[in-house]
């Protein structure tokens, strides 16, 4: 007897996995747009300001202290 590999279930399974990956990627991008408050340029500025605070060029803001 010559047994063949069931092609249809393999194709349907592959399509289901591709669709699942697509949906996960779509949701990930949606959440990045919602929760990322800094873009690349603003992140670089924030990192520079943190470096300046660590080196003593700037003082960190403390709520309630006079400027």
């Amino acid at each position: 007897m010559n047994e063949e590999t069931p092609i249809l279930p393999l194709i349907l399974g592959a399509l289901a996995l591709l669709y699942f990956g697509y949906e996960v990627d779509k949701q990930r991008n949606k959440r990045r747009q919602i929760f990322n408050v800094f873009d690349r340029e603003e992140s670089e500025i924030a990192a520079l300001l943190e470096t300046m605070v660590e080196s003593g060029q700037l003082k960190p803001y403390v709520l309630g202290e006079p400027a």
Side-chain angles (χ1 to χ4, degrees), residues 32-50:
R32 279 186 184 147
Q33 288 178 348
I34 292 171
F35 294 111
N36 280 351
V37 293
F38 289 142
D39 63 2
R40 183 179 176 99
E41 183 179 332
E42 291 169 333
S43 296
E44 290 173 0
I45 292 170
L48 178 62
L49 289 172
E50 287 178 13

Side-chain angles (χ1 to χ4, degrees), residues 12-30:
L12 291 177
L15 288 174
L17 284 174
L18 287 173
Y19 179 74
F20 179 74
Y22 169 75
E23 284 296 322
V24 167
D25 190 51
K26 189 168 77 169
Q27 290 297 320
R28 184 184 318 156
N29 289 335
K30 180 180 176 183

